[in-house]
Amino acid sequence: MSTMRDFRIWRGDETGGALVDYQVEVNEGEVVLDVIHRLQATQAPDLAVRWNCKAGKCGSCSAEINGKPRLMCMTRMSVFAPDETVTVTPLRTFPVIRDLVTDVSYNYEKARQIPAFAPPPDLRPGEYRMMQVDVERSQEFRKCIECFLCQNTCHVTRDHEENKRVFAGPRLFIRAAELDMHPLDTRKDRKEFAQAEQGLGYCNITKCCTEVCPEHIKITDNGIIPMKERVVDRRYDPLVWLGSKIFRRRS
Amino acid sequence: MTEIERLSFDVVVIGAGGAGLRAAIEARLHGKRTAVVCKSLFGKAHTVMAEGGAAAAMGNVNPRDNWKVHFQDTMRGGKFLNHWRMAELHAKEAPDRIWELETYGALFDRTPDGKISQRNFGGHQYPRLAHVGDRTGLELIRTLQQKVVALQQEDDANPDSDGCIEVYAECTITEILLDEIGRVAGAFGYRRESGQFVLFQAPAVVLATGGIGKSYKVTSNSWEYTGDGHALALRAGASLVNMEFVQFHPTGMVWPPSVKGILVTESVRGDGGVLLNSEGRRFMFDYVPDVFRSQYAETEEEADRWYDDPDNNRRPPELLPRDEVARAINAEVKAGRGSPHGGVFLDVSTRMPAEVIRRRLPSMYHQFKELADVDITAEPMEVGPTCHYVMGGVDVDPDSTAASVPGLFAAGEVAGGMHGSNRLGGNSLSDLLVFGRRAGAAAAAYHSSVVGDLPQVPESAVAAAVETALAPFATESGENPYALQQELQQVMNDLVGIIRRADELEQALVRLAELKERAKKVSVTGGRRYNPAWHLALDLRNMLLVSECVARAALERKESRGGHTRDDYPDMDPAWRRINLVCSLRGDTVVVEHRPLPAMPVELLRLFDIEELRKYMTEEELAVLESDMTESAIGQSGVEAGAEFGAGRSGSTADGKEGTSR
Amino acid sequence: MTTTATGTEVRSRAKITARTLRTDRWWLAPLLTVLGLLAFVVYATIRAFMGRYYWVDDYHYLTPFYSPCMSQSCIPEAAHFGRPLPEFPGFIPLAVISLPFLLAFRLTCYYYRRAYYRSFWLSPPACAVAEPHAKYTGETRFPLVLQNFHRYFFYAALIISLINTYDALLAFNTADGFGIGLGNLILLGNVLLLWAYTLSCHSCRHIVGGRLRHFSRHPVRYWAWTQVSKLNARHMQFAWITLGTLVLTDAYVMAVSAEWFSDLRFYN
Ligand SMILES: Cc1cc2nc3c(=O)[nH]c(=O)nc-3n(C[C@H](O)[C@H](O)[C@H](O)COP(=O)(O)OP(=O)(O)OC[C@H]3O[C@@H](n4cnc5c(N)ncnc54)[C@H](O)[C@@H]3O)c2cc1C
Ligand code: SF4
Ligand code: SF4
Ligand code: FES
Ligand code: FES
């Protein structure tokens, strides 16, 4: 069963561009990425789009569909009304390369700044023992497919380019949380790093990251807020502070 | 003249999947200046799609497991066509490679005593697959990616250190360049983003480019799988082995059409899912082949008991190796007992509580919910075979992964031999780590050996590579690359698919030759910046070349074995077990040659029951073997005895001594 | 691309001028939030300063808006903790001890922050809809950095929840001994939901167990964390429900106290 549908796709590069209208065939069960591929094969061979697995596993095909940040390969055409025009634009927060492809290097640069996992020096490979309940929290964050939809949606950088300098973004906050909750990580200063270097304080927990995450990671509730609370432990909680002083004096 | 970015490294790794990253890490740890080049973004290589797990005989769940059992399973799964030495190294080293990942930060699912948990999988006798839910590949690649970043941070902190590791993402290599005396001198390619050309000058190149599945219409593979590494190796003068063996995974999605082929992980069966035909019958009981009869349950009751008591029951036939299950599904559908959309039913909904399904198979649950509107906790899935993995690949030396061209190495799916005629699930991820590491080390050693006499890239070779790359722009209103690709996929699917016949294969070769001619005239419009039509036009060349190898080798092998099923030669033929088919390129044509399979040393043969070997080996082999095995004091001489079965490649049979696992 | 920049050029974003391309009614949620919060604030302000109808003498109902009542101005029976404080002028609410803490608890609550940042401050009004401000520093500077003190207000809220519970229990002891009326059920229901809101707090989740690295070594705290986590997933619902029940409870007490209608008694 196939029908003709209206699509509007942003074509252009950093020098400028516009939404271009297309009429394209759509079949039952298809996703937006299928339609983009049909456009490439039949009408716009050089339409630039980034994709890889077409199974929602690699996080390559992020774009904005009718204004909402989504994976093109996981957006079924059946979610739109039959006469609805489907508008596809590149991620807004990152520089555009061409058409639907953006330069996401910001995310990789921020990832490179986070101190890596610090393994316990006294354990050799094969000697690691961790309990399932202790790894579960970090495992949730490791589901991240690095689609950068959260990074794109977060208003801190989406609406304020200048904040990119000081703000690492939700993807990297859950990386920080993952390491801080890792049962065997030996670094003690991850909270301080998150606050001082990653710009945790810029987040106003408005939860858009969680709303768009295709892996349904509870970025805010399970990652960012616990990190904020951990920072509070260190910086703003006199009871804990006092406790740590007394404890330190005793030991 | 076109502007070319020139970079110089000690080791260049093509591919940033599990194999590529592990190789690059190893080269960097050996103090080499290392580059990793990949077509997609960093951390998105095909390996992210792997679901079920990585096989390693750690014995965490069943302490009876050890490398010998793993080795036996691998050989059996590959129907004894595997390169024994690769299977041996793999089985011995896999546990160390998995444990090592934990020191990089990986978080596998745990056993109650805090060790890495292991799950059952087709063809593995014991629970053996280290896993994280059903996203093991993601964990693997993220871990390695983060290890690369960790090393980069170390390098940033010590700017004076020798080694380094740089990642060139979205950069496609189109040619391996050799120096005047035929040694690897570098790799040429373009940056997808800008269309700019890049030349990596390096004496050692590791191919880790993965597989070829995108030449098929129904496949679980991503767009990257255009067989680039296979083709690069051929064009550089190396050869490919076992190309006729393509694994069709028994369970891909069949509906809706646009997702046809997407994988349904084998863990669904490993965790208790059963295959049913339209009559509701667990048909796999009817398809247990003789060679496996003794190891698989004969009744549903026994099969069901196995999940809780594997020591006293035999495993369910749903967990037969993939080739068997795929053929069985194919036969059921052909016999008219398929599901409405041309597959069979795979059911977990009646076998586990909904909440357990959601916890153990989260991404399957989402995949079906979101792409097919099917709730797998309430209804069965519809599944059918999908092109999944190529067992064939670059012909390499097992210990060093070196190809026949000096300076060229290959690891991962692009390398051949390890899996024989059929790969067991979970053996790929561990293969990536074991041989990725070996490739990195060997490439580093090779670099050290030539450092005084580094090969130089001839300018003429660069100019030729530029010309080839730009050709599609020069042609006007020629062929549409997308249309050509679709035709190719259709040809491979219909004529070189899961069941093959001589006349169809011949027809395929004719069609491929036509396509090859037409591909020379493909034309693209627009500029070089991120132009997918151009990218595809260049990939097409590789797909066609590799498809031809598959078709030619398939026509040549006149028996059915593992991932190669001939309608006209339906049985396994022990004589063919002794033969590897090797493809190479002479001028523009692919030639296929027979080569004796390297023989297994007797101490490894002894791991098997002679009755089992009887099913695979020729009378002649058995006669030698029997006399040999009865001699008590064989010891080390087994190596020589083994060599009589067929002259193995030098370097592999000669080195038959027990590889100690580090 | 990830490690070697292709050049030094600074690239720019796709030039799309529309503030958002969303086609759904994204403005509905912030609008409802504004209306809901405003309605509560207006009601609560009026009641807090009303100074009457907070105590039902027959059945010992005390509205949470006036608890604890500790001023000389309080009706003596309503002052469960005595009246150590002097008489208050009309512009000071009688529950001046608890109200500021409750206000601060809700103001700094992670959920309410999200709600008012989005709906009042439009930062952002909805996901992928541009916010109107030229600069943004989030919670890094004064005064918003004070949001980090949420935890103390949580401690305070715990105490106040205890007081409210005490009030609700005392109400079973009417002037004529034990009795149950609709008002009791309302007070009790309100207190239960207040507990649900308070215990589902993110800070609570952290203190109870979230701060641990090894759950396996603290099975009791892990259990508690799991329970709080279950509540926490509903924190937003509790935030709204308790606004509703607070108003309902207070309005009921006011109505009975002002004798607009009489309490429905089940027993005594
Ligand atoms: C859906 C699915 C599930 C699977 N599940 C399992 C499982 O559970 N267990 C298991 O063991 N195996 C599994 N496999 C198989 C396994 O994932 C693959 O065989 C394995 O990941 C291959 O890894 P690799 O390192 O060889 O290559 P890949 O991970 O595929 O990486 C190839 C790399 O090469 C790069 N590349 C390719 N061509 C070029 C070029 N011309 N220039 C530059 N770079 C290039 C690509 O960009 C990519 O980075 C699964 C496969 C699929 C498709
Ligand atoms: S919750 Fe924080 S990190 Fe997430 S989108 Fe909002 S401001 Fe950004
Ligand atoms: S956290 Fe979610 S939205 Fe963000 S990058 Fe990862 S998968 Fe994408
Ligand atoms: S293509 Fe991989 S997530 Fe969409
Ligand atoms: S009360 Fe809402 S988070 Fe604490």
Side-chain angles (χ1 to χ4, degrees), chain A residues 134 182 202 208 236-238, chain C residues 118 127 136 151-152 213 216:
Chain A
D134 295 339
H182 190 299
Y202 282 81
C208 285
Y236 303 103
D237 191 332
Chain C
R118 276 199 188 196
C127 302
Y136 174 88
R151 187 176 300 174
Y152 308 113
R213 200 187 267 270
S216 54

Side-chain angles (χ1 to χ4, degrees), chain C:
Chain C
M1 191 207 72
T2 52
T3 55
T4 31
T6 17
T8 45
E9 74 211 273
V10 179
R11 285 183 156 157
S12 56
R13 305 181 179 197
K15 290 182 185 61
I16 301 171
T17 42
R19 187 171 160 224
T20 182
L21 289 169
R22 278 180 71 163
T23 50
D24 55 343
R25 286 182 295 169
W26 54 263
W27 39 265
L28 190 62
L31 183 68
L32 291 178
T33 311
V34 168
L35 293 178
L37 291 181
L38 274 183
F40 179 82
V41 168
V42 168
Y43 177 89
T45 314
I46 293 175
R47 277 296 284 154
F49 291 99
M50 198 181 255
R52 300 188 281 168
Y53 306 141
Y54 54 88
W55 169 252
V56 179
D57 206 28
D58 287 349
Y59 311 123
H60 292 182
Y61 294 160
L62 174 66
T63 160
F65 280 54
Y66 284 80
S67 169
C69 210
M70 297 175 80
S71 142
Q72 292 290 334
S73 325
C74 295
I75 299 169
E77 290 77 15
H80 295 154
F81 300 92
R83 299 192 295 171
L85 300 177
E87 217 158 289
F88 285 167
F91 59 85
I92 298 187
L94 290 178
V96 71
I97 301 224
S98 62
L99 288 189
F101 287 102
L102 287 179
L103 182 68
F105 181 48
R106 297 220 175 209
L107 265 183
T108 58
C109 159
Y110 286 97
Y111 169 68
Y112 284 109
R113 267 143 84 181
R114 165 181 173 222
Y116 62 76
Y117 285 142
R118 276 199 188 196
S119 58
F120 284 86
W121 195 241
L122 307 179
S123 176
C127 302
V129 179
E131 59 173 306
H133 313 286
K135 269 193 74 70
Y136 174 88
T137 53
E139 300 183 338
T140 54
R141 308 236 171 112
F142 184 82
L144 292 185
V145 71
L146 296 183
Q147 305 278 31
N148 285 311
F149 289 102
H150 181 60
R151 187 176 300 174
Y152 308 113
F153 302 124
F154 163 72
Y155 292 138
L158 272 185
I159 298 172
I160 297 167
S161 293
L162 283 173
I163 295 175
N164 288 336
T165 313
Y166 184 63
D167 296 341
L169 292 178
L170 280 186
F172 285 104
N173 183 19
T174 67
D176 313 320
F178 181 75
I180 304 179
L182 180 58
N184 287 105
L185 298 188
I186 292 179
L187 280 174
L188 200 64
N190 177 52
V191 156
L192 283 178
L193 286 160
L194 281 180
W195 273 115
Y197 171 71
T198 311
L199 292 178
S200 65
C201 165
H202 287 276
S203 292
C204 173
R205 184 173 180 232
H206 173 77
I207 297 162
V208 158
R211 43 199 311 263
L212 299 172
R213 200 187 267 270
H214 299 280
F215 283 149
S216 54
R217 295 185 198 155
H218 304 86
V220 177
R221 287 181 74 182
Y222 175 58
W223 178 86
W225 179 82
T226 331
Q227 302 308 316
V228 170
S229 296
K230 280 186 198 149
L231 286 177
N232 178 262
R234 308 225 174 303
H235 191 58
M236 172 176 113
Q237 280 91 317
F238 289 132
W240 282 105
I241 291 171
T242 49
L243 285 192
T245 56
L246 275 172
V247 169
L248 177 80
T249 313
D250 178 72
Y252 190 85
V253 172
M254 170 166 75
V256 175
S257 164
E259 292 173 2
W260 296 336
F261 53 73
S262 54
D263 189 25
L264 178 65
R265 300 301 292 175
F266 305 120
Y267 177 78
N268 193 3

Side-chain angles (χ1 to χ4, degrees), chain A residues 154-156 167 170 173 202-209 220 224:
Chain A
C154 180
H155 69 112
V156 177
F167 185 70
F173 294 151
Y202 282 81
C203 163
N204 66 355
I205 48 166
T206 35
K207 272 198 173 172
C208 285
C209 45
T220 344
I224 298 179

Side-chain angles (χ1 to χ4, degrees), chain A residues 76-186:
Chain A
R76 297 186 76 189
M77 284 304 296
S78 57
V79 303
F80 307 107
D83 54 349
E84 195 174 345
T85 304
V86 180
T87 308
V88 189
T89 50
L91 298 181
R92 244 197 227 219
T93 307
F94 309 123
V96 66
I97 292 173
R98 209 165 75 77
D99 302 343
L100 300 178
V101 178
T102 49
D103 174 358
V104 292
S105 43
Y106 157 74
N107 305 291
Y108 289 99
E109 283 156 22
K110 292 293 175 188
R112 193 159 166 172
Q113 288 159 12
I114 256 203
F117 169 64
D122 50 334
L123 285 186
R124 278 175 312 166
E127 293 178 348
Y128 284 44
R129 293 290 176 274
M130 297 180 258
M131 291 298 148
Q132 185 61 34
V133 289
D134 295 339
V135 298
E136 250 154 27
R137 281 182 298 179
S138 299
Q139 279 185 333
E140 179 189 7
F141 305 135
R142 290 183 74 83
K143 284 197 308 195
C144 169
I145 57 173
E146 301 209 324
C147 64
F148 308 130
L149 284 173
C150 56
Q151 302 281 88
N152 167 62
T153 315
C154 180
H155 69 112
V156 177
T157 45
R158 186 182 176 94
D159 297 335
H160 306 278
E161 177 72 28
E162 70 281 4
N163 284 343
K164 280 188 185 166
R165 272 189 314 106
V166 290
F167 185 70
R171 159 63 186 122
L172 280 314
F173 294 151
I174 60 169
R175 170 77 173 136
E178 170 211 321
L179 289 165
D180 207 45
M181 296 174 187
H182 190 299
L184 291 177
D185 181 64
T186 53

